[in-house]
Amino acid sequence: FVMPQISRSAGNPRSLVNITIRSYMFLLGNFFFQTFILYMIAQEEQVMDKFAGEMNLCNFGAEIQKCPDGPNCIGPSGTNYQN
């Protein structure tokens, strides 16, 4: 890294030390931000791969008029729909 070397060569004045610390903070922030973005891309790929690239909406409650005896009357967690 260049900034610590320039600061040390100039006798470590306060302004250059502050710039050096700030550049390391930006470096760490950039590292964490890129890691987060890569994690989110990987998570999105795992979700989309299960649906073969096509997200489908659920049909929970699509035929609520025919419930509780009709088809597709089972909701989330196995609960039965009541009309």
Side-chain angles (χ1 to χ4, degrees), residues 30-49:
N30 189 1
F31 173 74
F32 288 123
F33 180 71
Q34 287 185 21
T35 303
F36 174 73
I37 294 296
L38 289 175
Y39 171 75
M40 295 306 287
I41 290 172
Q43 187 177 11
E44 186 269 339
E45 283 293 322
Q46 288 179 343
V47 170
M48 291 298 284
D49 286 346

Side-chain angles (χ1 to χ4, degrees), residues 5 12 14 19-20 25-26 31-32 34 36 38-39 43 45 47 51-52 56 58 60 66 69 80:
Q5 294 174 356
N12 286 327
R14 182 176 292 271
I19 291 173
T20 301
M25 288 173 40
F26 286 142
F31 173 74
F32 288 123
Q34 287 185 21
F36 174 73
L38 289 175
Y39 171 75
Q43 187 177 11
E45 283 293 322
V47 170
F51 294 104
N56 296 317
C58 68
F60 291 142
K66 299 177 184 175
D69 299 325
N80 289 328

Side-chain angles (χ1 to χ4, degrees), residues 49-63:
D49 286 346
K50 291 180 183 177
F51 294 104
E54 295 179 15
M55 296 296 289
N56 296 317
L57 297 175
C58 68
N59 63 350
F60 291 142
E63 299 179 15

